[in-house]
Amino acid sequence: MILGVNLNHDYAYCKIDGDNIYLLEMERHSRIRHHWNKESYTLAILDDLSVEELKNTETIYLNSPNMDQIEEKGGNLSSLKREYHYRGDYLTLDNNSGLSHGKLEVEGIEIDCTWVSHYHAHAASSFFTSSYDQADILCIDGGGDFGLGAWFYGDKTAINLKSRYLDCQLGLSYHEFSKNVFNVQGRGFYESKVMALAGFGKREKSANKFLKADSTLNDMSAYNKISVHDIAQFQHDFEQGIVDLILKDKKNDYLCCAGGCFLNVSLNRELVERGLYKGIWIPPYTSDMGIAIGCALYAYIDCKGELPPSTLLKNPYLGDHLSVSLEKIKSIIEKSGEEYELHT
C-alpha cells in the first residue's frame, strides 16, 4: 500500500492499494468547506488505518506548508489517538527535486517517508494523470512552500522544475480581492463568488485598475465601491496575467494545469480559446485535494518505476462505493418530481 497526504486545508489522503486508487478528503465527511483546523497539520487522517495496514504500507509521501513548524517540533505529527514522528531531511528552497527523504515512526513501525514540495505535488496530480508524454505544467494558487506558483516541464515519469514564482501574486491577489469585495476579515474563500459576478459585468464600463504590473493588488481602501464592471475588469486582467506567464515559457504542444486558480472556469475557457496548445488538461481535483493524489503518484513511481495503469487515473470518483441501490436512488429522485436518466 502507498499513501500520499496533504496536511493543510483540503485535508486529504490518497491510497494506492493493488488495483485501487482511493481518495479520502475530510470535507466530504465533516461538511466543513476545505476542512481546515488544527488536526489538518497532523496525521490524524491516518488514525483509522489498522496496525496491519500500517505494516503493509510501503511508503508515505507528505506535503504541508507548515513543514518548518513540524521541523521545529522535532517531526512530531501526532494526533490525539496516535503518535507519529518523522525522522529525516526537510525540503529547502534550493532543492529543485522537490523531494526529501526520511522515516515515519508509528505504533513501533518504521515506514519510508518523503516530503514533497507543494508545487511538485500539484504538478504530479495533473501531468501524471494526463495522457501526454511531454507537456508544460503551470501551477498557480494563493501560495505554498517556496512561492506562489511554479512552471515545470513534464516528460513521461519525470517532472522538471523550470522556475518558481516567488513574486508573482496573481492567485494571492485574486484571494485578497475577493475578501475585499465581500468585506471579509480572517479566513475564508470567496473566489468563486467573484468569478460568478464577473460574468454579469462589462469591463469596458470600468475605469478602475486593481492589479499592478507586477500582479500585486492596489490598495483597496482607495475604492469606495466596487461594481460588477470592476470585477469583470479584474477578471480580465487576472486572465491576461496567466496568459503572459504561459507565453514567456511555453515549450511543448500540451499544457497541464494545477492549483486553485484553475477552478476559475472563465480563465480555463480563455486558455482554450486562445489556441496556444493542442490540448490542455485540468484535472477535477486541481485544488489542494489533488496534492494528496500527486504525492501518492510520486510515491508509486518511486516504488514501482512506472505510473499506475492509465485506466485507474481517468476516474475522478476515488472514494467509497455507493452504499445504496440504484432503486433507492430512483425512488428519491421520483419523490422530488425531477426527471432523470440513470446509467450503470
Side-chain angles (χ1 to χ4, degrees):
M1 186 167 71
I2 289 169
L3 294 172
V5 185
N6 175 46
L7 295 87
N8 193 19
H9 66 76
D10 295 308
Y11 191 39
Y13 81 73
C14 179
K15 176 173 67 177
I16 304 179
D17 190 6
D19 293 332
N20 295 302
I21 298 180
Y22 177 91
L23 177 69
L24 171 65
E25 194 198 2
M26 281 306 299
E27 77 168 11
R28 307 302 181 192
H29 289 255
S30 69
R31 316 310 295 172
I32 300 171
R33 191 176 182 218
H34 294 297
H35 195 93
W36 196 1
N37 57 26
K38 289 183 179 179
E39 75 169 7
S40 304
Y41 304 117
T42 74
L43 284 175
I45 199 167
L46 303 183
D47 283 348
D48 289 338
L49 295 180
S50 68
V51 172
E52 192 63 30
E53 286 176 306
L54 292 172
K55 287 180 179 179
N56 291 329
T57 300
E58 295 179 62
T59 189
I60 299 176
Y61 275 44
L62 309 173
N63 170 263
S64 174
N66 291 325
M67 189 174 48
D68 56 338
Q69 296 178 28
I70 294 167
E71 183 176 8
E72 289 175 4
K73 294 191 300 180
N76 186 359
L77 293 164
S78 299
S79 68
L80 294 175
K81 294 182 179 179
R82 263 191 184 143
E83 291 189 3
Y84 300 90
H85 293 277
Y86 172 79
R87 314 292 184 200
D89 296 329
Y90 292 86
L91 292 168
T92 58
L93 179 60
D94 59 356
N95 181 344
N96 289 335
S97 73
L99 305 173
S100 62
H101 305 285
K103 301 285 185 179
L104 184 72
E105 299 169 1
V106 51
E107 299 283 5
I109 304 163
E110 192 175 75
I111 305 170
D112 287 340
C113 188
T114 297
W115 287 105
V116 185
S117 174
H118 183 82
Y119 294 111
H120 283 75
H122 262 317
S125 73
S126 183
F127 178 62
F128 290 153
T129 59
S130 75
S131 58
Y132 311 140
D133 287 334
Q134 286 86 31
D136 295 338
I137 310 170
L138 177 59
C139 304
I140 295 286
D141 58 16
D145 51 20
F146 314 128
L148 297 125
W151 183 276
F152 300 85
Y153 296 126
D155 185 4
K156 295 184 173 63
T157 58
I159 289 176
N160 303 300
L161 177 67
K162 170 64 170 58
S163 57
R164 301 184 192 274
Y165 298 135
L166 301 178
D167 300 314
C168 175
Q169 296 190 19
L170 286 166
L172 181 60
S173 291
Y174 206 110
H175 178 66
E176 294 301 321
F177 179 82
S178 302
K179 289 172 67 175
N180 274 277
V181 167
F182 291 97
N183 193 27
V184 174
Q185 303 298 321
R187 288 181 173 182
F189 297 90
Y190 298 85
E191 292 86 338
S192 60
K193 298 180 186 297
V194 167
M195 179 190 71
L197 286 172
F200 291 94
K202 297 183 182 297
R203 66 182 185 86
E204 60 270 17
K205 292 185 178 183
S206 171
N208 294 319
K209 293 285 286 185
F210 298 94
L211 280 177
K212 300 177 184 177
D214 64 356
S215 76
T216 58
L217 196 63
N218 282 322
D219 180 7
M220 295 296 291
S221 65
Y223 306 99
N224 295 323
K225 187 176 181 181
I226 300 174
S227 71
V228 291
H229 308 306
D230 292 328
I231 294 173
Q233 177 64 55
F234 178 83
Q235 174 71 30
H236 171 269
D237 291 345
F238 166 74
E239 293 172 6
Q240 186 58 52
I242 299 290
V243 170
D244 289 344
L245 291 177
I246 291 172
L247 293 174
K248 178 183 175 184
D249 289 317
K250 183 180 184 299
K251 176 182 176 182
N252 291 286
D253 292 332
Y254 299 94
L255 175 67
C256 295
C257 301
C261 286
F262 297 102
L263 294 171
N264 193 302
V265 177
S266 178
L267 166 64
N268 298 344
R269 182 183 62 215
E270 177 69 15
L271 296 183
V272 171
E273 291 180 350
R274 287 271 183 148
L276 298 174
Y277 290 92
K278 292 181 179 179
I280 298 176
W281 168 241
I282 302 170
Y285 32 77
T286 189
S287 65
D288 275 10
M289 76 173 77
I291 290 286
I293 295 173
C295 285
L297 294 177
Y298 252 126
Y300 192 94
I301 291 172
D302 188 30
C303 292
K304 312 296 184 183
E306 61 183 1
L307 283 167
S310 60
T311 52
L312 298 183
L313 301 176
K314 297 304 179 187
N315 188 347
Y317 303 105
L318 303 176
D320 294 317
H321 292 291
L322 287 176
S323 58
V324 296
S325 67
L326 284 180
E327 291 303 319
K328 178 65 174 178
I329 295 172
K330 287 179 182 179
S331 68
I332 293 172
I333 298 174
E334 286 169 352
K335 286 179 182 178
S336 72
E338 297 291 332
E339 295 183 2
Y340 67 90
E341 184 177 348
L342 291 178
H343 298 273
T344 58

